[in-house]
Amino acid sequence: MYKRIFRSVCATALAVFALSLVFVLGMLSQYFGQQLEQELRTEASYLAKGIDAAGESFLDGLSYDDKRVTLIGGDGTVLYDSEANSAAMENHRDREEFVEAKETGVGESVRYSRTLMERTIYYALRLENGDVLRVSDVQESVLTVLLRFAQPVFVLILVVLGVSAFAASQVSHAIVRPLNSMDLDENPSGLEEYDELAPLFLRIEHQRATIEQQLEEAVKMREEFRLITENMTEGFLMIDRGTNLLTYNSAALRLLGVPEGATGKSVLILNRSEVFRTVVDESLAGRHAEQNMERSGRVYNLLANPVLDGERVIGAVIIILDVTESQQREQLRREFTANVSHELKTPLTSISGFAELMRTGTVPQEDVIDFSSRIYDETQRLITLVGDIIRLSELDERAQGGGFDREKVDVTALCEEIIDRLSAVADRRKVVCTVQAPESVLVETSRRILDEVIYNICDNAIKYNKAEGSVRITVTEAPAEVSIAVRDTGIGIPAEDQQRVFERFYRVDKSHSREIGGTGLGLSIVKHGAIALGASLHLESQEGVGTTVTLALPKLRPSKTE
């Protein structure tokens, strides 16, 4: 702003100086022209009197300086000229000043020379004998005078420019200093020195307040948007029509396995799979897109919708959902349905077959008892299977927050009771069962669920044990928990099956499992029961050596009245 004011002042001063100079020279030129005309009249009057008195010879002995004197006869013939040979000069009867002098007694004219940039002033006076005396002189034009005085004028211009620059600098500083020192935050109403700027400052203050309000709202909305997206478990990506990444949340980077700060410009850098590219292309083409993508053993559902401005696609929003667990649950549900169907179909087919034979009446009486016994066994197997399925469903509900009634349970006494109930099975398989535990260990939990969990672990340890094998229950009390370890000397579990033995209907050796009975849900009940109790479950097994299943229960919680 200072520079603009400085240049403006200097330019104004220079223009004023130039106009003033031209005006002054013009005035001087006009003044000197009038003076010259007056001199020509006076000199012509004196010369006329001399010629009237002494004749033409009066002109021969005179000195005329810069003026030119011409005596013209009545017919226009040049009789005398102070600068040229009168005999060689042309007739002047058509000259303006001669014609006017012959008619009125006095004649004047001005003629310009464009080549010499001069003007010649002629003054003619009619004598008593009818001749005409003409006196002329040359006056230089304003431009000629200006060129003659070019050097001093140039020096004067430099002086004027210097003075103007100094004055402009001082004036500019004086004008700009209050503007530079003003603070729109502390004194937004403007400067007292410049009342003319008050409307401008009021408008600026209004616009500043409006902008601040809009910025606050924008920051608030951005922060709300950030909090919402950052607390989403789903991944969120927003892109423009050129696939450039506009915004995202940390969940998107985590789900796509991209480190923070390695996003790049294009969203396609985050994932280069064909599925991801297809979803991006479909959404930017203006269509809804949905695809499942697998990465690192997990399944992600990609949902993409175009962002429209009228009918024009300006970008897209992509949501990433981790659907691994739901896919696994769906897979488990299908497997469970298939397994239940299979488990139910086998005994029902057997019962149906025996019943069909008995209905025909062709079965000998001695075989009817055997068929009835088999029908009874298969029916009991069905009842046990349905009971296990119902119990497993109940444990699922409790594990998902259904809750149960807590009571103080003596773990040592419960383990001894379970061993006593399984003694008949253990004796048939020649397996020795023992309990190694403190005299009394109390936990606050559900006795029924804990009983089912320990019973199923011990039942499996006996069934899959070797002849003359052993099962030992070890109860260990720690400050925060109680551990119940059931160790057997059975056939063991192959390493590749250890992660799946707690799945529903999963059997390591299906032929052996059929021989010893069971529904294939025992260890699944153990797993879901442990979850319902809030306990942890750990399995260690070595094929041909034995298996150890450890259940870690939270210890007894002190009552509020103690």
Side-chain angles (χ1 to χ4, degrees), residues 518-537:
T519 61
L521 296 174
L523 289 181
S524 184
I525 291 175
V526 169
K527 173 185 175 182
H528 288 80
I531 294 174
L533 295 173
S536 61
L537 195 63

mmCIF file with all atom_site columns, all heavy atoms in Angstrom, residues 518-537:
data_model
loop_
_atom_site.group_PDB
_atom_site.id
_atom_site.type_symbol
_atom_site.label_atom_id
_atom_site.label_alt_id
_atom_site.label_comp_id
_atom_site.label_asym_id
_atom_site.label_entity_id
_atom_site.label_seq_id
_atom_site.pdbx_PDB_ins_code
_atom_site.Cartn_x
_atom_site.Cartn_y
_atom_site.Cartn_z
_atom_site.occupancy
_atom_site.B_iso_or_equiv
_atom_site.pdbx_formal_charge
_atom_site.auth_seq_id
_atom_site.auth_comp_id
_atom_site.auth_asym_id
_atom_site.auth_atom_id
_atom_site.pdbx_PDB_model_num
ATOM 1   N N   . GLY A 1 518 ? -21.449 -91.759 23.061 1.00 0.00 ? 518 GLY A N   1
ATOM 2   C CA  . GLY A 1 518 ? -21.279 -90.303 23.145 1.00 0.00 ? 518 GLY A CA  1
ATOM 3   C C   . GLY A 1 518 ? -21.899 -89.613 21.946 1.00 0.00 ? 518 GLY A C   1
ATOM 4   O O   . GLY A 1 518 ? -22.091 -90.206 20.885 1.00 0.00 ? 518 GLY A O   1
ATOM 5   N N   . THR A 1 519 ? -22.208 -88.352 22.175 1.00 0.00 ? 519 THR A N   1
ATOM 6   C CA  . THR A 1 519 ? -22.885 -87.573 21.132 1.00 0.00 ? 519 THR A CA  1
ATOM 7   C C   . THR A 1 519 ? -21.942 -86.668 20.346 1.00 0.00 ? 519 THR A C   1
ATOM 8   O O   . THR A 1 519 ? -22.337 -86.058 19.355 1.00 0.00 ? 519 THR A O   1
ATOM 9   C CB  . THR A 1 519 ? -23.964 -86.688 21.768 1.00 0.00 ? 519 THR A CB  1
ATOM 10  O OG1 . THR A 1 519 ? -23.351 -85.773 22.684 1.00 0.00 ? 519 THR A OG1 1
ATOM 11  C CG2 . THR A 1 519 ? -24.989 -87.529 22.509 1.00 0.00 ? 519 THR A CG2 1
ATOM 12  N N   . GLY A 1 520 ? -20.708 -86.522 20.787 1.00 0.00 ? 520 GLY A N   1
ATOM 13  C CA  . GLY A 1 520 ? -19.783 -85.601 20.122 1.00 0.00 ? 520 GLY A CA  1
ATOM 14  C C   . GLY A 1 520 ? -19.938 -84.163 20.578 1.00 0.00 ? 520 GLY A C   1
ATOM 15  O O   . GLY A 1 520 ? -19.339 -83.251 19.998 1.00 0.00 ? 520 GLY A O   1
ATOM 16  N N   . LEU A 1 521 ? -20.749 -83.964 21.645 1.00 0.00 ? 521 LEU A N   1
ATOM 17  C CA  . LEU A 1 521 ? -20.989 -82.606 22.151 1.00 0.00 ? 521 LEU A CA  1
ATOM 18  C C   . LEU A 1 521 ? -20.379 -82.373 23.526 1.00 0.00 ? 521 LEU A C   1
ATOM 19  O O   . LEU A 1 521 ? -20.507 -81.282 24.077 1.00 0.00 ? 521 LEU A O   1
ATOM 20  C CB  . LEU A 1 521 ? -22.500 -82.333 22.223 1.00 0.00 ? 521 LEU A CB  1
ATOM 21  C CG  . LEU A 1 521 ? -23.249 -82.335 20.886 1.00 0.00 ? 521 LEU A CG  1
ATOM 22  C CD1 . LEU A 1 521 ? -24.741 -82.198 21.125 1.00 0.00 ? 521 LEU A CD1 1
ATOM 23  C CD2 . LEU A 1 521 ? -22.746 -81.226 19.994 1.00 0.00 ? 521 LEU A CD2 1
ATOM 24  N N   . GLY A 1 522 ? -19.722 -83.403 24.074 1.00 0.00 ? 522 GLY A N   1
ATOM 25  C CA  . GLY A 1 522 ? -19.202 -83.282 25.441 1.00 0.00 ? 522 GLY A CA  1
ATOM 26  C C   . GLY A 1 522 ? -18.236 -82.138 25.614 1.00 0.00 ? 522 GLY A C   1
ATOM 27  O O   . GLY A 1 522 ? -18.413 -81.272 26.476 1.00 0.00 ? 522 GLY A O   1
ATOM 28  N N   . LEU A 1 523 ? -17.170 -82.091 24.801 1.00 0.00 ? 523 LEU A N   1
ATOM 29  C CA  . LEU A 1 523 ? -16.169 -81.025 24.929 1.00 0.00 ? 523 LEU A CA  1
ATOM 30  C C   . LEU A 1 523 ? -16.727 -79.676 24.479 1.00 0.00 ? 523 LEU A C   1
ATOM 31  O O   . LEU A 1 523 ? -16.273 -78.631 24.943 1.00 0.00 ? 523 LEU A O   1
ATOM 32  C CB  . LEU A 1 523 ? -14.914 -81.373 24.126 1.00 0.00 ? 523 LEU A CB  1
ATOM 33  C CG  . LEU A 1 523 ? -14.058 -82.506 24.711 1.00 0.00 ? 523 LEU A CG  1
ATOM 34  C CD1 . LEU A 1 523 ? -12.827 -82.739 23.855 1.00 0.00 ? 523 LEU A CD1 1
ATOM 35  C CD2 . LEU A 1 523 ? -13.651 -82.193 26.152 1.00 0.00 ? 523 LEU A CD2 1
ATOM 36  N N   . SER A 1 524 ? -17.704 -79.674 23.590 1.00 0.00 ? 524 SER A N   1
ATOM 37  C CA  . SER A 1 524 ? -18.345 -78.408 23.219 1.00 0.00 ? 524 SER A CA  1
ATOM 38  C C   . SER A 1 524 ? -19.111 -77.838 24.401 1.00 0.00 ? 524 SER A C   1
ATOM 39  O O   . SER A 1 524 ? -19.118 -76.633 24.644 1.00 0.00 ? 524 SER A O   1
ATOM 40  C CB  . SER A 1 524 ? -19.276 -78.631 22.024 1.00 0.00 ? 524 SER A CB  1
ATOM 41  O OG  . SER A 1 524 ? -19.824 -77.410 21.588 1.00 0.00 ? 524 SER A OG  1
ATOM 42  N N   . ILE A 1 525 ? -19.786 -78.763 25.176 1.00 0.00 ? 525 ILE A N   1
ATOM 43  C CA  . ILE A 1 525 ? -20.455 -78.321 26.408 1.00 0.00 ? 525 ILE A CA  1
ATOM 44  C C   . ILE A 1 525 ? -19.428 -77.793 27.401 1.00 0.00 ? 525 ILE A C   1
ATOM 45  O O   . ILE A 1 525 ? -19.664 -76.793 28.090 1.00 0.00 ? 525 ILE A O   1
ATOM 46  C CB  . ILE A 1 525 ? -21.269 -79.485 27.002 1.00 0.00 ? 525 ILE A CB  1
ATOM 47  C CG1 . ILE A 1 525 ? -22.465 -79.804 26.092 1.00 0.00 ? 525 ILE A CG1 1
ATOM 48  C CG2 . ILE A 1 525 ? -21.753 -79.157 28.409 1.00 0.00 ? 525 ILE A CG2 1
ATOM 49  C CD1 . ILE A 1 525 ? -23.259 -81.011 26.533 1.00 0.00 ? 525 ILE A CD1 1
ATOM 50  N N   . VAL A 1 526 ? -18.267 -78.437 27.476 1.00 0.00 ? 526 VAL A N   1
ATOM 51  C CA  . VAL A 1 526 ? -17.187 -77.958 28.360 1.00 0.00 ? 526 VAL A CA  1
ATOM 52  C C   . VAL A 1 526 ? -16.768 -76.538 27.991 1.00 0.00 ? 526 VAL A C   1
ATOM 53  O O   . VAL A 1 526 ? -16.622 -75.657 28.843 1.00 0.00 ? 526 VAL A O   1
ATOM 54  C CB  . VAL A 1 526 ? -15.982 -78.927 28.281 1.00 0.00 ? 526 VAL A CB  1
ATOM 55  C CG1 . VAL A 1 526 ? -14.761 -78.311 28.979 1.00 0.00 ? 526 VAL A CG1 1
ATOM 56  C CG2 . VAL A 1 526 ? -16.334 -80.259 28.908 1.00 0.00 ? 526 VAL A CG2 1
ATOM 57  N N   . LYS A 1 527 ? -16.578 -76.315 26.700 1.00 0.00 ? 527 LYS A N   1
ATOM 58  C CA  . LYS A 1 527 ? -16.136 -74.993 26.235 1.00 0.00 ? 527 LYS A CA  1
ATOM 59  C C   . LYS A 1 527 ? -17.167 -73.911 26.564 1.00 0.00 ? 527 LYS A C   1
ATOM 60  O O   . LYS A 1 527 ? -16.832 -72.865 27.140 1.00 0.00 ? 527 LYS A O   1
ATOM 61  C CB  . LYS A 1 527 ? -15.887 -75.036 24.726 1.00 0.00 ? 527 LYS A CB  1
ATOM 62  C CG  . LYS A 1 527 ? -15.580 -73.687 24.108 1.00 0.00 ? 527 LYS A CG  1
ATOM 63  C CD  . LYS A 1 527 ? -15.474 -73.796 22.607 1.00 0.00 ? 527 LYS A CD  1
ATOM 64  C CE  . LYS A 1 527 ? -15.297 -72.410 21.965 1.00 0.00 ? 527 LYS A CE  1
ATOM 65  N NZ  . LYS A 1 527 ? -15.240 -72.497 20.484 1.00 0.00 ? 527 LYS A NZ  1
ATOM 66  N N   . HIS A 1 528 ? -18.418 -74.120 26.221 1.00 0.00 ? 528 HIS A N   1
ATOM 67  C CA  . HIS A 1 528 ? -19.443 -73.114 26.444 1.00 0.00 ? 528 HIS A CA  1
ATOM 68  C C   . HIS A 1 528 ? -19.764 -72.965 27.932 1.00 0.00 ? 528 HIS A C   1
ATOM 69  O O   . HIS A 1 528 ? -20.108 -71.870 28.384 1.00 0.00 ? 528 HIS A O   1
ATOM 70  C CB  . HIS A 1 528 ? -20.711 -73.472 25.652 1.00 0.00 ? 528 HIS A CB  1
ATOM 71  C CG  . HIS A 1 528 ? -20.552 -73.270 24.180 1.00 0.00 ? 528 HIS A CG  1
ATOM 72  N ND1 . HIS A 1 528 ? -19.911 -74.190 23.378 1.00 0.00 ? 528 HIS A ND1 1
ATOM 73  C CD2 . HIS A 1 528 ? -20.941 -72.258 23.361 1.00 0.00 ? 528 HIS A CD2 1
ATOM 74  C CE1 . HIS A 1 528 ? -19.907 -73.759 22.118 1.00 0.00 ? 528 HIS A CE1 1
ATOM 75  N NE2 . HIS A 1 528 ? -20.522 -72.586 22.079 1.00 0.00 ? 528 HIS A NE2 1
ATOM 76  N N   . GLY A 1 529 ? -19.626 -74.057 28.671 1.00 0.00 ? 529 GLY A N   1
ATOM 77  C CA  . GLY A 1 529 ? -19.798 -73.939 30.119 1.00 0.00 ? 529 GLY A CA  1
ATOM 78  C C   . GLY A 1 529 ? -18.712 -73.089 30.741 1.00 0.00 ? 529 GLY A C   1
ATOM 79  O O   . GLY A 1 529 ? -18.973 -72.266 31.638 1.00 0.00 ? 529 GLY A O   1
ATOM 80  N N   . ALA A 1 530 ? -17.451 -73.258 30.297 1.00 0.00 ? 530 ALA A N   1
ATOM 81  C CA  . ALA A 1 530 ? -16.350 -72.439 30.814 1.00 0.00 ? 530 ALA A CA  1
ATOM 82  C C   . ALA A 1 530 ? -16.573 -70.968 30.494 1.00 0.00 ? 530 ALA A C   1
ATOM 83  O O   . ALA A 1 530 ? -16.324 -70.087 31.319 1.00 0.00 ? 530 ALA A O   1
ATOM 84  C CB  . ALA A 1 530 ? -15.028 -72.925 30.232 1.00 0.00 ? 530 ALA A CB  1
ATOM 85  N N   . ILE A 1 531 ? -17.070 -70.703 29.278 1.00 0.00 ? 531 ILE A N   1
ATOM 86  C CA  . ILE A 1 531 ? -17.345 -69.312 28.908 1.00 0.00 ? 531 ILE A CA  1
ATOM 87  C C   . ILE A 1 531 ? -18.423 -68.731 29.809 1.00 0.00 ? 531 ILE A C   1
ATOM 88  O O   . ILE A 1 531 ? -18.329 -67.591 30.270 1.00 0.00 ? 531 ILE A O   1
ATOM 89  C CB  . ILE A 1 531 ? -17.760 -69.239 27.427 1.00 0.00 ? 531 ILE A CB  1
ATOM 90  C CG1 . ILE A 1 531 ? -16.591 -69.635 26.528 1.00 0.00 ? 531 ILE A CG1 1
ATOM 91  C CG2 . ILE A 1 531 ? -18.236 -67.829 27.072 1.00 0.00 ? 531 ILE A CG2 1
ATOM 92  C CD1 . ILE A 1 531 ? -16.954 -69.738 25.055 1.00 0.00 ? 531 ILE A CD1 1
ATOM 93  N N   . ALA A 1 532 ? -19.489 -69.522 30.072 1.00 0.00 ? 532 ALA A N   1
ATOM 94  C CA  . ALA A 1 532 ? -20.566 -69.042 30.928 1.00 0.00 ? 532 ALA A CA  1
ATOM 95  C C   . ALA A 1 532 ? -20.071 -68.770 32.345 1.00 0.00 ? 532 ALA A C   1
ATOM 96  O O   . ALA A 1 532 ? -20.545 -67.834 33.011 1.00 0.00 ? 532 ALA A O   1
ATOM 97  C CB  . ALA A 1 532 ? -21.704 -70.060 30.948 1.00 0.00 ? 532 ALA A CB  1
ATOM 98  N N   . LEU A 1 533 ? -19.116 -69.577 32.827 1.00 0.00 ? 533 LEU A N   1
ATOM 99  C CA  . LEU A 1 533 ? -18.576 -69.383 34.178 1.00 0.00 ? 533 LEU A CA  1
ATOM 100 C C   . LEU A 1 533 ? -17.532 -68.275 34.251 1.00 0.00 ? 533 LEU A C   1
ATOM 101 O O   . LEU A 1 533 ? -17.101 -67.902 35.332 1.00 0.00 ? 533 LEU A O   1
ATOM 102 C CB  . LEU A 1 533 ? -17.945 -70.701 34.678 1.00 0.00 ? 533 LEU A CB  1
ATOM 103 C CG  . LEU A 1 533 ? -18.902 -71.880 34.889 1.00 0.00 ? 533 LEU A CG  1
ATOM 104 C CD1 . LEU A 1 533 ? -18.120 -73.130 35.222 1.00 0.00 ? 533 LEU A CD1 1
ATOM 105 C CD2 . LEU A 1 533 ? -19.901 -71.558 35.997 1.00 0.00 ? 533 LEU A CD2 1
ATOM 106 N N   . GLY A 1 534 ? -17.114 -67.774 33.091 1.00 0.00 ? 534 GLY A N   1
ATOM 107 C CA  . GLY A 1 534 ? -16.049 -66.772 33.070 1.00 0.00 ? 534 GLY A CA  1
ATOM 108 C C   . GLY A 1 534 ? -14.695 -67.380 33.337 1.00 0.00 ? 534 GLY A C   1
ATOM 109 O O   . GLY A 1 534 ? -13.779 -66.698 33.807 1.00 0.00 ? 534 GLY A O   1
ATOM 110 N N   . ALA A 1 535 ? -14.551 -68.664 33.030 1.00 0.00 ? 535 ALA A N   1
ATOM 111 C CA  . ALA A 1 535 ? -13.299 -69.374 33.283 1.00 0.00 ? 535 ALA A CA  1
ATOM 112 C C   . ALA A 1 535 ? -12.516 -69.527 31.997 1.00 0.00 ? 535 ALA A C   1
ATOM 113 O O   . ALA A 1 535 ? -13.056 -69.430 30.897 1.00 0.00 ? 535 ALA A O   1
ATOM 114 C CB  . ALA A 1 535 ? -13.590 -70.742 33.891 1.00 0.00 ? 535 ALA A CB  1
ATOM 115 N N   . SER A 1 536 ? -11.227 -69.790 32.137 1.00 0.00 ? 536 SER A N   1
ATOM 116 C CA  . SER A 1 536 ? -10.372 -70.049 30.973 1.00 0.00 ? 536 SER A CA  1
ATOM 117 C C   . SER A 1 536 ? -10.111 -71.540 30.876 1.00 0.00 ? 536 SER A C   1
ATOM 118 O O   . SER A 1 536 ? -10.099 -72.260 31.878 1.00 0.00 ? 536 SER A O   1
ATOM 119 C CB  . SER A 1 536 ? -9.047  -69.289 31.100 1.00 0.00 ? 536 SER A CB  1
ATOM 120 O OG  . SER A 1 536 ? -8.330  -69.714 32.249 1.00 0.00 ? 536 SER A OG  1
ATOM 121 N N   . LEU A 1 537 ? -9.909  -72.003 29.649 1.00 0.00 ? 537 LEU A N   1
ATOM 122 C CA  . LEU A 1 537 ? -9.752  -73.427 29.383 1.00 0.00 ? 537 LEU A CA  1
ATOM 123 C C   . LEU A 1 537 ? -8.470  -73.623 28.588 1.00 0.00 ? 537 LEU A C   1
ATOM 124 O O   . LEU A 1 537 ? -8.224  -72.925 27.603 1.00 0.00 ? 537 LEU A O   1
ATOM 125 C CB  . LEU A 1 537 ? -10.963 -73.921 28.588 1.00 0.00 ? 537 LEU A CB  1
ATOM 126 C CG  . LEU A 1 537 ? -11.200 -75.429 28.492 1.00 0.00 ? 537 LEU A CG  1
ATOM 127 C CD1 . LEU A 1 537 ? -11.473 -76.011 29.874 1.00 0.00 ? 537 LEU A CD1 1
ATOM 128 C CD2 . LEU A 1 537 ? -12.394 -75.707 27.573 1.00 0.00 ? 537 LEU A CD2 1
#
